[in-house]
C-alpha cells in the first residue's frame, strides 16, 4: 500500500478499509439490523432527531433462525425475542478455540507488513507522533529520577505504553473528551499540555490547575478536554458513558474516550459502564491498556477470559484487539473506532496489548515479582519507539540528527521546567477550603479561622512554603 | 415569663404548615394557585418544572419510564421523551456514574435510586467522584448538576431493605449536600433548589409520606433555600430538632408535652387566695416546645439550632436511623460545644435502635412520640425561672396558709419532682 496518497485516493482507500475492516457477525446483514426492527413504532415515540434505541426483540432477526431449512424447526418466544430451540444439551465453550487475533501494521522490527490495512498518516502527524513518544519517555525518565532524588513525592511512568498514549490521541479530535485512568499523560502531551504544566502539577505549586490538592500525575485540563485523574480504578468508565450520551444529545461531532488497564476491567464499574454504553447507545471508546500487570498481579490472576476484548460481545459491544506497541495500528484502530462510535452512536471496546515496562509507580519495585530479563526484553526488543522510528525513518521523515536535536531540547526544557516548578510557591492556604462547594459554607469558613489561629500559635508545626 | 403561645390548633396533617413556613417564591404571586397534593405528586410536579425549565436536564433510574415504583416520575417520559426520561439497567453504580458524566458536561442529571437501601453500590461514585469532582480539578470541572433522589425511612412493613435511613453516611462526605423534606410543599421547593444548586445533592424522600402527607402546594415554580433550618413551632422550654417524617412524630410529642398537667387541676380548688396570675400561669403552662426542621443536613444550619437552644436550654434530637453514629450525634456534639453553659439538661437523642431495621419488631424499634415525651429532656423541663416562680409561690402560700401545713406539703411534692 502506498503511503503517500492524495486526498481523493485516500478516501477510496478508506472506503476499502471500511469494507474490509468490518466486524464479525452472524451475517453482514446484521449491520443493518437496527433498520429491520420488528416493532416499528419505537421510532415514532422518540424525539425527531432520529436517535434510536435498540429494540429488545432484535434477537429474532438473527440469521440463525432464518437459516434453518427444516420445516419442523420451531422457535421459542420469550421476552427478549424469539430463539431457535435445540434438543441437544450443549454448553457454549468457555472460550473460543483460538484467541482473538491481534491487529497490527508493523512487525517487531518496524517493517510494514505486506497485507496490512491501516489509515494513512501524513508526515506531519507521523513526525509529531514520534516526537511526542520520545518526549513522553524522556519526561517520564526525568520525573522518575526527580522522585528518586527526593524532589518529587511520587511518580508513575508510562514506559512501554507510549504508542498507546500518543497514537490514540493523534487519532482523536480535540473535541473528544478524555476520561483517563492515570497512565495516559501522553494524550495531554499530544494536545499541547506543556512540560511546565506537567511539572507544576507534580510539584503542586500555585500554577497547578488542580491547586495542589492531589498527588503527582493527577493531571486535568478543561481547556484540553481531559478530565482530572482520580486514583480510584475504573470509576471514570461510567462517567465517560454519561458524557458520551451528552455529546450525542447535543449533536456534537465528538465522542468520549476512556482508558483503563487490565486490572480495571475487573472492577464493577467496567461492567456497569459497558452495559450502560450499549443500552444508551453512547458514542464512547473504551480503550483497555492490557499491559499484563496490575501492580504485581499478572493477568492470569486477574481474569480467565481471553483477555478483555471478548467481554465486549457479552454486552453487545463491537470490539477489537490491537498491538498496543504498534503506533500505526493504534492510530488506525482508534480512528476507525471513533468514526463508528459517532456515526453509529455506539460504544467500541479496544483492547491494546502491551507491556508495562516500568514499575507500577515509584512506590513499587517490580523486580520483586517479575524477572529483570523479562522487563529488559520488552524494553529493548518490543519497544514501541524503535518500531515506529524505523517506519518513520523509512519514509525519510526522521534521522539521527533530528533525534539528537529533539532529545537535547527536551532534556533542557524538562530540567528548566522542574527548576521553575520547584521554586514556584505553593497555592495559598485558602485553597484548602475553596471548591469543596461552589461557595464555602459556614463550617468551612469557621474551620479556616481555626486553622489560621492554630498556625499563629504553633507556626513550626506547619510547612513554611504554603502562603497564608 | 413562660410563653403562652406554645399551642396551635392543628388543622393539617403536616407539621408546621399552619405556621406559614418561610418560602421564597421565584415569581411574586399574590393569589398563588395551590393544589392539594401528596408527596409523590409534589415531587412529580417539581420534576416536570425542572425538565421544562432546562432543556439539558435528564431524569433516569430503574423503572422511571412508566412513572416509577412510587409514581414520582409519572408523565415525564411521555411529555419530555425517552431520550430525556428513561429506564436504566439495574445497576446503581452505573446510574450514578452515568449521572456524574452527564452533569460533568453541564447537564442537570436527576437520578433516582429506587430505595435508599440500594444506594450503597453507588457510594464509591458519590464519595470518590461526585463529592471531589470540583475540588480535585481545581474548579476546572464540576458535577454540580447531579441530584440523587431516593425514598428513605420506615413504611410500616419494609423490614431491613425497604426502611433504611442512610443519611448519616452521606453527611460525612465533604463536597455533597444532603437534603430531606418533611412535607409535599417543602419537597417541591427543596427538590427544585437541589436540582438547581451548583453542587451534587443527595435528596432523601420520606416514603411514608408519599401518600400519607397531603398539603396545599403552590403550582408555580418556587424554591426553598438549602442550608436554612426552619422553626416550625415556637417554644421556650425545649428545642426539638428533626427532619423528614420524624417531624410529624415529634410534633405529636410537642402537643402532648404542652397539655396541662392533670393533677394541677385537682389541687386548684384547694388553693385559696393564690395570686391570680401565678395560678393561671401554673394551670395553663405545660411544656412549651420549639420544633425545628433541619431540612438540609449537610451543610447544616447550626446558627438556627444554636439560637434556639440558647433560648430554651434543652435539646432533643430525633431520627429513625440507628442512634449510634447517627446524625443526631453530630448535632449533639456541636450544640454542646457552642451552648454548654446554657444547657440545663443533657442533650437527648430519641432514635432508632442499633439493629438492622426489623419487620415484626418495627413498632418497638421506632422512636415514637411517647419515647420522646418520656425522654429526660422533655419529662422534667422545669426551667430555673419556673423553679423560682413556684418556690416563690410556695413561700407565699406557706405564709398565707399557715393553718394548713398538710396542703402545703402535698403541693411541694407535686411540684418539686
Amino acid at each position: 500500500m502506498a503511503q503517500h496518497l492524495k486526498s481523493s485516493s485516500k478516501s477510496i482507500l478508506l472506503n476499502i478499509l471500511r469494507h474490509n475492516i468490518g466486524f464479525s457477525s452472524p451475517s453482514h446483514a446484521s449491520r443493518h439490523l437496527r433498520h429491520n426492527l420488528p416493532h416499528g413504532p419505537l421510532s415514532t415515540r422518540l424525539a425527531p432527531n432520529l436517535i434510536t434505541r435498540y429494540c429488545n426483540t432484535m434477537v429474532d432477526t438473527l440469521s440463525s433462525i432464518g437459516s434453518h431449512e427444516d420445516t419442523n424447526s420451531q422457535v421459542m418466544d420469550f421476552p427478549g425475542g424469539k430463539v431457535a430451540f435445540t434438543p441437544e444439551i450443549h454448553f457454549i465453550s468457555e472460550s473460543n478455540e483460538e484467541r482473538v487475533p491481534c491487529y497490527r501494521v508493523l512487525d517487531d522490527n518496524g517493517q510494514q507488513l505486506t497485507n496490512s490495512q491501516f489509515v494513512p498518516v501524513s508526515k506531519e502527524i507521523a513526525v509529531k507522533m514520534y516526537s511526542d513518544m520520545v518526549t513522553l519517555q524522556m519526561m517520564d525518565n526525568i520525573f522518575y529520577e526527580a522522585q528518586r532524588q527526593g524532589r518529587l513525592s511520587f511518580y508513575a511512568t508510562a514506559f512501554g505504553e507510549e504508542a498507546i498514549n500518543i497514537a490514540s490521541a493523534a487519532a482523536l479530535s480535540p473535541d473528544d473528551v478524555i476520561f483517563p485512568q492515570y497512565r495516559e499523560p501522553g494524550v495531554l502531551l499530544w494536545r499541547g499540555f506543556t512540560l511546565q504544566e506537567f511539572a507544576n502539577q507534580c510539584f503542586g505549586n500555585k500554577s497547578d490547575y488542580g491547586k495542589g490538592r492531589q498527588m503527582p500525575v493527577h493531571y486535568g485540563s478543561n481547556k484540553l478536554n481531559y478530565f482530572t485523574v482520580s486514583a480510584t480504578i475504573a470509576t471514570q468508565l461510567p462517567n465517560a458513558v454519561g458524557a458520551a450520551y451528552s455529546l450525542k444529545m447535543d449533536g456534537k461531532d465528538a465522542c468520549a474516550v476512556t482508558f483503563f488497564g487490565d486490572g480495571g476491567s475487573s472492577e464493577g464499574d467496567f461492567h456497569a459502564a459497558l452495559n450502560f454504553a450499549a443500552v444508551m447507545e453512547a458514542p464512547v471508546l473504551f480503550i483497555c491498556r492490557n499491559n499484563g500487570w496490575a501492580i504485581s498481579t499478572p493477568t492470569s490472576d486477574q481474569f480467565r477470559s481471553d483477555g478483555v476484548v471478548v467481554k465486549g460481545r457479552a454486552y453487545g459491544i463491537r470490539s477489537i484487539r490491537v498491538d498496543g506497541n504498534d503506533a500505526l495500528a493504534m492510530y488506525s484502530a482508534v480512528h476507525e473506532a471513533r468514526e463508528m462510535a459517532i456515526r453509529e452512536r455506539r460504544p467500541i471496546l479496544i483492547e491494546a496489548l502491551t507491556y508495562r515496562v516500568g514499575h507500577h509507580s515509584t512506590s513499587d519495585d517490580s523486580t520483586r515479582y517479575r524477572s529483570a530479563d523479562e522487563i529488559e526484553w520488552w524494553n529493548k526488543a518490543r519497544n514501541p519507539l524503535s518500531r515506529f522510528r524505523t517506519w518513520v525513518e523509512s519514509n525519510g521523515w526522521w534521522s539521527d540528527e533530528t533525534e539528537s536535536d529533539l532529545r537535547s531540547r527536551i532534556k533542557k526544557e524538562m530540567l528548566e521546567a522542574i527548576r521553575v516548578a520547584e521554586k514556584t510557591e505553593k497555592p495559598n492556604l485558602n485553597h484548602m477550603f475553596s471548591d469543596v462547594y461552589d461557595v464555602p459554607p459556614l463550617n468551612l469558613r469557621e474551620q479556616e479561622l481555626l486553622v489560621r489561629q492554630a498556625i499563629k500559635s504553633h507556626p513550626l508545626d506547619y510547612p513554611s512554603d504554603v502562603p497564608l | 415569663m413562660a410563653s403562652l403561645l406554645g399551642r396551635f390548633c392543628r388543622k393539617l396533617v403536616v407539621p408546621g404548615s399552619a405556621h406559614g413556613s418561610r418560602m421564597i417564591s421565584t415569581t411574586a404571586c399574590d393569589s398563588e394557585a395551590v393544589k392539594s397534593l401528596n408527596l409523590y405528586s409534589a415531587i412529580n410536579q417539581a420534576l416536570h418544572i425542572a425538565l421544562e425549565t432546562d432543556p439539558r436536564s435528564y431524569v433516569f433510574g430503574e423503572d422511571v419510564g412508566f412513572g416509577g415504583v412510587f409514581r414520582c416520575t409519572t408523565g415525564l417520559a411521555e411529555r419530555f421523551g425517552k431520550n430525556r426520561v428513561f429506564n436504566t439497567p439495574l445497576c446503581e453504580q452505573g446510574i450514578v456514574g452515568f449521572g456524574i458524566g452527564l452533569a460533568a458536561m453541564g447537564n442537570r442529571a436527576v437520578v433516582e435510586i429506587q430505595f435508599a437501601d440500594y444506594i450503597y453500590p453507588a457510594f464509591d461514585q458519590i464519595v470518590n467522584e461526585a463529592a471531589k469532582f470540583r475540588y480535585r480539578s481545581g474548579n476546572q470541572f464540576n458535577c454540580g448538576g447531579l441530584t440523587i433522589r431516593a425514598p428513605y425511612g420506615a413504611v410500616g412493613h419494609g423490614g431491613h431493605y425497604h426502611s433504611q435511613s442512610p443519611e448519616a453516611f452521606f453527611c460525612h462526605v465533604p463536597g455533597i449536600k444532603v437534603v430531606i423534606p418533611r412535607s409535599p410543599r417543602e419537597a417541591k421547593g427543596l427538590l427544585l433548589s437541589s436540582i438547581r444548586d451548583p453542587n451534587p445533592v443527595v435528596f432523601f424522600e420520606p416514603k411514608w409520606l408519599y401518600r400519607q402527607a397531603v398539603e396545599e402546594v403552590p403550582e408555580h415554580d418556587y424554591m426553598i433555600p438549602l442550608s436554612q433550618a426552619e422553626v416550625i413551632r415556637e417554644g421556650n422550654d425545649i428545642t426539638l430538632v428533626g427532619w423528614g417524617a420524624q417531624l410529624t412524630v415529634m410534633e405529636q410529642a410537642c402537643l402532648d408535652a404542652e397539655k396541662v398537667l392533670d393533677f394541677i387541676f385537682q389541687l386548684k380548688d384547694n388553693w385559696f387566695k393564690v395570686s391570680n396570675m401565678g395560678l393561671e400561669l401554673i394551670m395553663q403552662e405545660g411544656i412549651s416546645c420549639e420544633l425545628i426542621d433541619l431540612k438540609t443536613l449537610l451543610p447544616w444550619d447550626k446558627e438556627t439550632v444554636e439560637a434556639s437552644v440558647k433560648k430554651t436550654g434543652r435539646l432533643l434530637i430525633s431520627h429513625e436511623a440507628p442512634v449510634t453514629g447517627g446524625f443526631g450525634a453530630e448535632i449533639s456534639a456541636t450544640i454542646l460545644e457552642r451552648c454548654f453553659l446554657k444547657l440545663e439538661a443533657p442533650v437527648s437523642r430519641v432514635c432508632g435502635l442499633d439493629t438492622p431495621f426489623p419487620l415484626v419488631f418495627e413498632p418497638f424499634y421506632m422512636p415514637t412520640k411517647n419515647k420522646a415525651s418520656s425522654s429526660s429532656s422533655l419529662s422534667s423541663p422545669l426551667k430555673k425561672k419556673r423553679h423560682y416562680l413556684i418556690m416563690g409561690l410556695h413561700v407565699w402560700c406557706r405564709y398565707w396558709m399557715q393553718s394548713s401545713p398538710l396542703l402545703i406539703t402535698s403541693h411541694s411534692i407535686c411540684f418539686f419532682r
Side-chain angles (χ1 to χ4, degrees), chain A residues 209 213 220-222 226 228 230 232 235 239 242 245-246 249-250 268-269 272 276 432 434-435 437-438 446, chain B residues 56 58 82-83 91 93 95 97-98 101 105 107 124-125 129 134-138 140-141 175-176 198-199 338:
Chain A
Y209 301 130
R213 290 154 179 167
S221 166
N222 58 349
Y226 188 97
T228 304
S230 71
T232 44
T235 47
N239 301 342
Y245 190 81
S246 174
M249 288 298 293
D250 290 342
D269 275 336
F276 265 73
M432 178 159 75
S434 61
D435 304 331
Y437 297 94
D438 62 320
E446 286 172 357
Chain B
R56 291 183 84 223
Y58 299 83
K82 279 172 173 282
N83 298 313
C91 178
Q93 68 195 100
I95 293 169
F98 182 88
M105 299 291 282
N107 302 289
D124 185 23
Q125 285 287 339
E129 295 295 310
R134 186 193 293 274
Y135 191 75
R136 74 187 185 203
S137 72
Q140 293 185 91
F141 301 106
I176 56 169
N199 299 288
R338 291 162 181 255

Side-chain angles (χ1 to χ4, degrees), chain A residues 28-36:
Chain A
H28 285 292
S30 63
R31 188 197 294 210
H32 304 291
L33 273 173
R34 61 194 296 117
H35 303 298
N36 293 342

Side-chain angles (χ1 to χ4, degrees), chain A residues 243-296:
Chain A
Y245 190 81
S246 174
L247 289 170
K248 176 175 89 163
M249 288 298 293
D250 290 342
K252 302 282 188 207
D253 180 20
C255 65
V257 181
T258 182
F259 294 86
F260 54 100
D262 38 292
S265 76
S266 296
E267 277 282 358
D269 275 336
F270 167 84
H271 304 277
L274 262 66
N275 194 38
F276 265 73
V279 172
M280 299 303 155
E281 297 173 11
V284 54
L285 305 191
F286 294 105
I287 301 182
C288 176
R289 298 175 291 96
N290 182 346
N291 62 20
W293 297 93
I295 308 188
S296 69

Side-chain angles (χ1 to χ4, degrees), chain A residues 154-451:
Chain A
F154 172 87
Y155 195 73
T157 63
F159 294 140
E161 303 183 42
E162 295 87 350
I164 294 178
N165 265 253
I166 302 298
S168 61
L172 299 170
S173 91
D175 296 329
D176 298 324
V177 297
I178 310 292
F179 285 82
Q181 182 63 77
Y182 48 66
R183 221 181 282 286
E184 305 91 16
V187 179
L188 266 178
L189 189 65
W190 174 270
R191 290 183 169 191
F193 212 61
T194 64
L195 298 178
Q196 188 64 66
E197 286 171 312
F198 282 114
N200 289 337
Q201 196 283 328
C202 287
F203 283 88
N205 62 35
K206 72 166 195 245
S207 305
D208 168 25
Y209 301 130
K211 298 179 186 164
R213 290 154 179 167
Q214 291 210 86
M215 286 165 67
V217 311
H218 290 62
Y219 312 113
S221 166
N222 58 349
K223 200 176 59 176
L224 302 178
N225 283 324
Y226 188 97
F227 281 86
T228 304
V229 170
S230 71
T232 44
I233 299 296
T235 47
Q236 70 278 10
L237 264 55
N239 301 342
V241 181
Y245 190 81
S246 174
L247 289 170
K248 176 175 89 163
M249 288 298 293
D250 290 342
K252 302 282 188 207
D253 180 20
C255 65
V257 181
T258 182
F259 294 86
F260 54 100
D262 38 292
S265 76
S266 296
E267 277 282 358
D269 275 336
F270 167 84
H271 304 277
L274 262 66
N275 194 38
F276 265 73
V279 172
M280 299 303 155
E281 297 173 11
V284 54
L285 305 191
F286 294 105
I287 301 182
C288 176
R289 298 175 291 96
N290 182 346
N291 62 20
W293 297 93
I295 308 188
S296 69
T297 305
T299 49
S300 55
D301 287 346
Q302 195 66 249
F303 40 66
R304 288 300 165 90
S305 52
D306 172 18
V308 175
V309 66
V310 293
K311 297 184 201 232
R313 173 161 274 192
Y315 298 104
I317 293 178
R318 210 170 280 171
S319 324
I320 188 170
R321 168 173 277 160
V322 189
D323 177 353
N325 288 1
D326 179 342
L328 286 182
M330 275 305 300
Y331 181 90
S332 296
V334 173
H335 186 278
E336 287 302 289
R338 176 185 182 275
E339 291 221 339
M340 268 193 279
I342 296 172
R343 187 182 64 238
E344 298 179 46
R345 296 170 181 136
R346 58 166 66 247
I348 308 283
L349 171 64
I350 298 173
E351 180 185 20
L353 298 183
T354 182
Y355 188 86
R356 193 196 75 209
V357 168
H359 306 303
H360 167 70
S361 71
T362 47
S363 310
D364 177 47
D365 171 15
S366 59
T367 57
R368 294 177 59 201
Y369 48 81
R370 56 184 187 175
S371 74
D373 289 342
E374 176 187 312
I375 303 170
E376 193 52 24
W377 186 77
W378 279 94
N379 192 21
K380 288 281 176 313
R382 300 294 208 93
N383 189 302
L385 271 77
S386 47
R387 277 168 81 189
F388 191 51
R389 180 179 170 175
T390 304
W391 183 81
V392 175
E393 276 184 349
S394 73
N395 291 321
W397 297 338
W398 197 256
S399 68
D400 284 341
E401 206 188 319
T402 41
E403 176 93 10
S404 61
D405 282 349
L406 175 70
R407 285 186 179 265
S408 62
R409 178 170 62 80
I410 299 298
K411 183 168 178 187
K412 234 169 49 176
E413 252 183 68
M414 271 302 299
L415 294 176
E416 177 65 10
I418 289 181
R419 190 189 66 80
V420 169
E422 210 164 21
K423 73 172 178 43
T424 304
E425 63 177 3
K426 299 295 181 221
N428 191 289
L429 180 68
N430 60 21
H431 283 310
M432 178 159 75
F433 300 98
S434 61
D435 304 331
V436 180
Y437 297 94
D438 62 320
V439 168
L442 184 59
N443 59 321
L444 285 183
R445 300 202 299 271
E446 286 172 357
Q447 286 169 21
E448 184 172 351
L449 289 174
L450 286 173
V451 169

